[in-house]
Amino acid sequence: MSAEPPLPQLTPSPKAPESTPTSTPVPVPTPVPTLLEVLRALDAGPRGLTEGQAEERLGRFGENRVPATRDPSWARLLARSARDPFTAVLLCLGLVSAAVYAWGTASVILLLVAVSCVLRASGEHRADRSTADLRRLVATTVTVQRRADEASAPATREIPVEELVPGDVVRLGPGDLVPADVRLLRSTGLTVHQAALTGESAPVPKSAGESDPAGTDPAGTDTAGTGVFQQSHLCFQGTGVASGSATAVVTATGADTRFAAAHRRTGKPPATSFERSVQGVSWILIRFALLTPPLVLMANAALRGRGLETLPFAVAVAVGLTPEMLPVLVTTCLARGAALLARTHDVIVRRLPALHDIGAMDVLCVDKTGTLTQDRPVVDRALNAEGQDDPEVLRWAAAAAWWSLQLADLPTPDALDEALLTAADEDALMAYDGVTALPFDPARRLATVVVRAPGRLGTHTLITKGAAEAVLERCSLPDEERIRLRALAEAQAADGLRVLAVATAERPAGTRPHERGLTFRGLVTLRDDLVPTAAEALAGLAERGVTVKVLTGDHPGTAVRTCRDLGIPVAGVLTADRLDTLTDPELTELASRTTVFARCTPEHKTRITRALQTGGHTVGFLGDGVNDLPALRTADVGLAPRNATGVTRDNADLILAGKDLTAIGHAIAAGRHAGGNIASYLRITLSSNLGNVIAMLSAGLLLPFLPMLPAQVLVQNLCFDAAQLAFAYDRPAPSAPRRPTVLEPRALLRFIVGFGALNAVADLATFGVLALALRGPGDDEALFHSGWFTENLLTQAVVMVLLSLGARGTSGRRPGPVTWSAAALAATGLFLPMSALGEPLGLSRLPGVYYGLLAAVLTLYAAGLMTARARQERRSPVA
C-alpha cells in the first residue's frame, strides 16, 4: 500500500522539488496513520472546528484556491513573439542595415518585424480572453460542520469553498464535488468519480474503515490499483461523489492538495514540432545570411578593388536571401486558420504555432472514457444460466434497480442502475410492489430488494444483484455448477464487458431479508456507451494519416472492447506493470506498434508520449483531467474539451467545444492548410532568393559595376514581399489535408539548393541576353539594371505559379490568390522601368528585342522547372 499523503502540521507544507523519473520507482510500504492520529495531527475532532479556530487557520494557510495560471500581459506577449528565430534573423539584418546607413532597408525590415509581433500577440491575447470565462474552481460552496465556541453544539452551514481550512469537518452527498483533500469519518454506500485524477471510468468505492475495499465496482469490474488514490478512506479535490454520503475531515487545502501538486509538477514543456522545425530552418538562414556579406566584400575587393563602398550592396544581398515576410505570413496563415476554427467549429487555438503542430500530427493519444465512450454504460445482453439470451433476467435486474432507488431514498440511480432502467420495459418495473431494500455496499458488493407480486399474499420475492462472485457465493448450487457459472462470467468480463449477476428467492412475508440459498437467474452484461460520432471521426483521422492510441486507466479488456466496437485495429496491448519493466529505448520501439496502453498513471502517459516523440512522431494528446496534465504538456500539441478541469484547460494549446474527435479532424485540416501554405512559401521564396544571390555574386565578379543598386534591390524585395503575402490566402491542393505537413529542414535545404541553382542558371542566361540586346552607348549600366530588374520579377512570378501548382498543372483548378499575385508582379516588372517611377530608381526603357529574347529564356526556364518538379515529386511525394 502506498503511503498516505502527509498531513499539515498546522504550518503550510513546503513544496517538493520537481523531478522527472524515467521509470516508476518501487513504493516502500509505510504505516498508514489511524483516524485518531490524523485528528491529533490536525488538532481537530469529529465535532468540527470553532469559528475562531477556522478564522485563525484561514489566515495561516490562506484561501482554499487552486493556483491559477495568470494571463500574460501585452508586453510579455510581444516579447515572446519577438523571440521567434525568424524574427531574430530579421532584427539582426535590420540593425546591420541601420549601421551602414541603409535606412530604407532597415525601416522596411523593422516594420515587418513589428507587424508580425503585433499580429501574433493579438491572436494569442484573443485566445486567452476566450478561455478566461471558462475557468472555475472545482467547487463553489461546501457544507461544513462548525461550532460557535468550545461549549457550543456543532451546526452545519454552507460556506464558500475558499474559506475551508484543514481540520474542518465537511459533509458530502451525491453530485457534490470534493472541495479539498479529506479523510473519511463516516460513510454510507459512498462511491467517487476519480477520472479527473486517475482516468478510471467507473466510480471507486470509498469507506471510512482503515482497510481498502475489495477493489471492484457493483458489476465486479476490477478497480484496484497502486497509489494513494486507491486508498479507500481518502478522497481528493477535483473528484465528485457518484453515490452515497459521507462526513470527512479536511487534511489539505489550496496549494497543498494533490490536485495542485499535479499542476506544480508540469514544469516547462519541451519544444514542439513547430519550434523544432523553425529552429532548423532558422539556422539554415542564419548561416547563409552570415556567409553572404563577407563573400560579397571579399570577392569585390579581390577582383574589382572595391572596398567598404560595397557593404550596403552586400547587406542588401543578405536581406534579399532572407524571407522578410515569413513572420508576417506565418502569423497570418495561423491566425486565419484559428479564426476560422473558432467561428465555424467552436475550437479555440490558445497558442498559434499549435495550429501548425496539429497539422503535422501523425499520432493522437486519447483517453477512452469521455472521448471514445460517453461516461455511462449501456446494457449489452441478458443471459440465463446456459449463456443464452433471456429478457427475463433483465426484468429481474431492472426491478431491483427501480426499487433500490425508491426505497433506499437515493437521489439518483448510479450508472449501472440507470443503464438497467433505460433498457427495461417500463411495465415490467411496475409489476411488483416494493417492500424494503438493502442498497449497494462496497464490502458485500451487491444490493438486495424485497418485492411483493400482486395476488401473492404472504409471500415476498427477494432480488439480489451485484458482482458475479459475490452473488454466486449466496446461491444454492453444486460446486461444479458454481465453477461453470463463474467461468461464464469471467469470459464475459475478459471480452471487455461489465457483468452483473442476478438471483432471487421466495421468502415468507415479514421475515428479514436473508441473502442465502438464492436461485441463480442469470447475468446482465454492460458495455461502455460509444460516442455517436467517434467511429466516423476515427475513420476520418485514419484517412488523414493519424494513428490513434488509447491511454487509459481502465482495464485492458474494456479498452480493447471499445476499440473493437469502433473499428480501431488493435496492434498490441501494453499494461502499466509491463511498461514499468521496459527501458526508454525498448518503450520507444514498442510504443509505435502498440494501440492500447491500460492501467496508466499520469507518469506512464507522460513517458509514452515522450517515447513516441523520440520515435520521430509528432504527438497530440487529448485529455480533460489533472491526471492528463503532464502528458498534455509534453505532447507537441495538447487538446482539452471545454468541460475539462480548469488547470488542464489553462495548459492546453487547443480547446474543443466537447470531447468530439470530429472537431479534431477540422483542426487538423486547418493546420495542414496553414502548414502547407507556409511550406510552399518557404520552398518557393528561398529557392528563388538563393538563385538571385548566386547570380548577384557572379555578376559582381563579371561586371565592372554593381549588378544592381541597393535601392533597386530594396524595391525588388518589396515587390516580392507584397506578392508572396498571397501564400497566406492560397487554396491547398486536394491531397494536402491527407498527410501531415512536416517542415523538415534537410528536405527543405535540398529543395532550395536544387531549384536555386536552376534559377541561377536562368539569371546567368539573362546576362547573355543583355549582352546581345543592350547596346546603348554610355548607358550600359542603367540598361543592365533595368533588364535584370525585369527578369528577376518575371522569373519570380513564373516560380510562384509553377511550383505552387507543381506537377498537377492547372487541371481542375481556377486561378487562386498566388496566380493573380504573380500576374501583378510580372506586370510590375514589365512596366515599372518605362514608367515615371523608373527614372528615380535608376531604371530606363528597354529595347523591344530584349523582350523577345527574354521570352525564350523564360520558356526554357519554365520547362526546366516543370521537369525538375515532376522528378522531385516522384522521388519525394511529401515535399
Side-chain angles (χ1 to χ4, degrees):
M1 180 183 294
S2 301
E4 188 166 326
L7 299 172
Q9 302 299 319
L10 298 186
T11 57
S13 60
K15 305 300 184 291
E18 295 180 0
S19 61
T20 307
T22 58
S23 61
T24 305
V26 178
V28 179
T30 57
V32 177
T34 65
L35 177 57
L36 183 58
E37 290 171 338
V38 170
L39 293 175
R40 283 177 177 172
L42 292 168
D43 191 19
R47 301 174 70 225
L49 300 176
T50 66
E51 295 292 348
Q53 288 174 320
E55 185 177 352
E56 185 270 336
R57 294 187 186 191
L58 184 61
R60 186 180 305 179
F61 290 97
E63 291 187 338
N64 179 35
R65 293 181 182 272
V66 177
T69 303
R70 294 180 58 187
D71 290 336
S73 63
W74 266 102
R76 188 164 187 172
L77 286 172
L78 288 170
R80 193 162 63 193
S81 301
R83 289 203 307 267
D84 181 273
F86 288 132
T87 306
V89 172
L90 287 181
L91 277 173
C92 291
L93 289 174
L95 294 176
V96 171
S97 299
V100 298
Y101 304 108
W103 301 114
T105 302
S107 300
V108 171
I109 290 176
L110 294 177
L111 176 62
L112 293 175
V113 168
V115 169
S116 170
C117 291
V118 169
L119 283 175
R120 178 168 295 184
S122 61
E124 296 187 4
H125 177 69
R126 283 195 301 270
D128 287 335
R129 267 195 343 193
S130 299
T131 57
D133 60 338
L134 300 177
R135 297 194 185 104
R136 62 183 185 274
L137 291 174
V138 291
T140 55
T141 62
V142 60
T143 302
V144 67
Q145 180 176 294
R146 285 183 180 171
R147 297 170 291 155
D149 52 47
E150 292 288 351
S152 301
T156 59
R157 63 186 180 92
E158 292 282 326
I159 66 169
V161 72
E162 298 94 332
E163 298 179 7
L164 206 61
V165 296
D168 263 328
V169 174
V170 297
R171 294 189 178 181
L172 303 173
D176 286 347
L177 294 171
V178 180
D181 291 354
V182 301
R183 204 303 187 178
L184 297 178
L185 300 176
R186 295 180 298 278
S187 64
T188 302
L190 183 66
T191 60
V192 175
H193 282 296
Q194 294 192 152
L197 295 175
T198 65
E200 296 169 291
S201 59
V204 178
K206 297 286 185 177
S207 64
E210 301 293 344
S211 61
D212 289 346
T216 55
D217 67 4
T221 305
D222 176 23
T223 61
T226 60
V228 69
F229 298 115
Q230 274 64 44
Q231 294 190 23
S232 64
H233 52 281
L234 301 177
C235 296
F236 301 92
Q237 186 181 54
T239 63
V241 177
S243 63
S245 60
T247 302
V249 61
V250 175
T251 59
T253 60
D256 295 321
T257 62
R258 291 270 167 168
F259 189 91
H263 185 202
R264 289 198 302 272
R265 285 198 303 267
T266 56
K268 183 180 179 181
T272 65
S273 171
F274 180 74
E275 291 166 342
R276 293 192 297 269
S277 299
V278 163
Q279 290 169 2
V281 175
S282 296
W283 277 110
I284 294 175
L285 297 180
I286 290 171
R287 291 188 183 100
F288 276 116
L290 293 178
L291 186 63
T292 300
L295 282 178
V296 174
L297 290 174
M298 288 188 295
N300 278 274
L303 299 179
R304 293 297 177 183
R306 305 185 187 113
L308 290 177
E309 66 270 16
T310 60
L311 182 58
F313 174 72
V315 172
V317 171
V319 171
L321 175 65
T322 306
E324 301 99 319
M325 288 299 292
L326 183 59
V328 175
L329 185 131
V330 167
T331 304
T332 303
C333 283
L334 298 179
R336 290 186 71 245
L340 179 65
L341 284 174
R343 185 171 61 252
T344 60
H345 302 295
D346 206 14
V347 176
I348 298 173
V349 180
R350 299 190 66 246
R351 186 179 61 85
L352 285 182
L355 192 61
H356 174 277
D357 292 331
I358 199 169
M361 180 180 70
D362 62 337
V363 172
L364 175 64
C365 298
V366 301
D367 193 4
K368 177 184 71 67
T369 307
T371 304
L372 306 179
T373 61
Q374 295 197 82
D375 290 323
R376 67 171 183 263
V378 293
V379 172
D380 185 63
R381 298 176 68 188
L383 307 173
N384 59 22
E386 302 304 320
Q388 300 182 0
D389 292 320
D390 186 350
E392 186 72 8
V393 178
L394 176 60
R395 185 176 66 85
W396 286 114
W402 172 257
W403 288 110
S404 289
L405 178 65
Q406 302 301 317
L407 299 175
D409 198 24
L410 300 176
T412 57
D414 66 21
L416 298 181
D417 284 349
E418 186 173 9
L420 295 173
L421 296 174
T422 301
D425 185 356
E426 186 174 342
D427 293 337
L429 301 179
M430 301 295 109
Y432 302 97
D433 295 325
V435 177
T436 188
L438 298 176
F440 175 78
D441 184 351
R444 297 184 306 125
R445 292 183 292 157
L446 48 80
T448 296
V449 299
V450 178
V451 298
R452 178 178 59 248
R456 296 191 62 191
L457 299 176
T459 301
H460 291 169
T461 302
L462 181 146
I463 310 173
T464 297
K465 65 176 177 62
E469 185 177 350
V471 172
L472 287 171
E473 287 177 355
R474 292 163 170 80
C475 292
S476 297
L477 294 167
D479 290 342
E480 305 83 44
E481 181 68 3
R482 183 177 287 106
I483 293 172
R484 185 186 70 81
L485 292 173
R486 186 181 293 124
L488 176 63
E490 289 173 353
Q492 299 299 316
D495 199 30
L497 299 169
R498 299 183 190 179
V499 182
L500 278 173
V502 184
T504 64
E506 300 296 321
R507 296 285 189 262
T511 60
R512 297 182 59 185
H514 181 58
E515 299 166 334
R516 292 292 175 184
L518 307 179
T519 300
F520 182 78
R521 292 292 183 177
L523 304 173
V524 177
T525 61
L526 303 101
R527 58 175 172 79
D528 288 332
D529 191 15
L530 303 178
V531 173
T533 60
E536 179 184 355
L538 289 169
L541 292 176
E543 290 178 0
R544 291 183 170 96
V546 177
T547 302
V548 174
K549 297 187 181 294
V550 180
L551 281 59
T552 179
D554 268 351
H555 189 279
T558 306
V560 171
R561 174 63 185 241
T562 299
C563 291
R564 188 167 68 245
D565 290 344
L566 289 171
I568 303 175
V570 179
V573 180
L574 188 63
T575 56
D577 53 354
R578 169 77 174 111
L579 192 151
D580 288 337
T581 66
L582 299 175
T583 64
D584 288 344
E586 290 172 338
L587 180 58
T588 298
E589 193 275 333
L590 192 59
S592 294
R593 47 190 177 88
T594 300
T595 303
V596 174
F597 301 84
R599 292 298 189 205
C600 290
T601 65
E603 290 75 16
H604 291 137
K605 294 181 179 182
T606 304
R607 193 174 171 217
I608 293 165
T609 301
R610 192 176 292 117
L612 290 167
Q613 290 173 320
T614 304
H617 297 285
T618 301
V619 182
F621 191 96
L622 173 62
D624 66 343
V626 177
N627 63 311
D628 298 320
L629 188 54
L632 184 139
R633 286 176 60 84
T634 300
D636 293 291
V637 55
L639 304 101
R642 179 166 294 179
N643 60 354
T645 58
V647 67
T648 307
R649 286 197 312 272
D650 289 342
N651 284 275
D653 299 314
L654 276 75
I655 298 177
L656 313 177
K659 274 190 176 179
D660 185 358
L661 296 179
T662 304
I664 298 178
H666 295 309
I668 290 173
R672 292 182 179 177
H673 183 173
N677 286 347
I678 293 170
S680 294
Y681 167 79
L682 276 174
R683 287 196 296 265
I684 294 171
T685 301
L686 289 178
S687 59
S688 179
N689 288 358
L690 179 62
N692 287 338
V693 167
I694 294 173
M696 282 189 179
L697 290 173
S698 303
L701 301 179
L702 296 173
L703 300 175
F705 50 81
L706 292 177
M708 195 174 291
L709 300 177
Q712 295 167 351
V713 174
L714 176 61
V715 171
Q716 175 182 271
N717 289 341
L718 288 175
C719 293
F720 287 168
D721 293 340
Q724 290 159 356
L725 189 59
F727 282 103
Y729 303 89
D730 196 26
R731 296 189 301 269
S735 61
R738 298 175 189 165
R739 57 179 185 260
T741 52
V742 180
L743 193 60
E744 211 282 311
R746 291 183 180 273
L748 177 64
L749 181 60
R750 289 194 298 269
F751 187 100
I752 63 176
V753 169
F755 284 89
L758 186 61
N759 183 274
V761 170
D763 285 344
L764 294 174
T766 305
F767 292 169
V769 169
L770 291 169
L772 291 174
L774 306 182
R775 296 297 181 183
D779 200 26
D780 288 348
E781 184 173 343
L783 288 176
F784 186 93
H785 292 162
S786 302
W788 200 15
F789 182 91
T790 296
E791 186 268 350
N792 274 340
L793 267 62
L794 290 177
T795 53
Q796 179 75 9
V798 170
V799 169
M800 287 176 61
V801 173
L802 296 186
L803 290 192
S804 64
L805 295 175
R808 302 180 304 273
T810 58
S811 176
R813 296 190 73 192
R814 292 177 298 171
V818 171
T819 303
W820 291 115
S821 181
L825 183 65
T828 302
L830 290 172
F831 296 111
L832 183 61
M834 63 183 69
S835 70
L837 297 176
E839 187 174 350
L841 293 174
L843 301 175
S844 60
R845 185 183 297 270
L846 291 161
V849 66
Y850 168 74
Y851 294 105
L853 294 173
L854 180 60
V857 171
L858 291 176
T859 300
L860 293 174
Y861 178 51
L865 272 180
M866 294 301 297
T867 302
R869 179 59 174 171
R871 182 181 302 172
Q872 192 271 342
E873 286 185 347
R874 287 194 300 270
R875 186 172 61 250
S876 179
V878 299

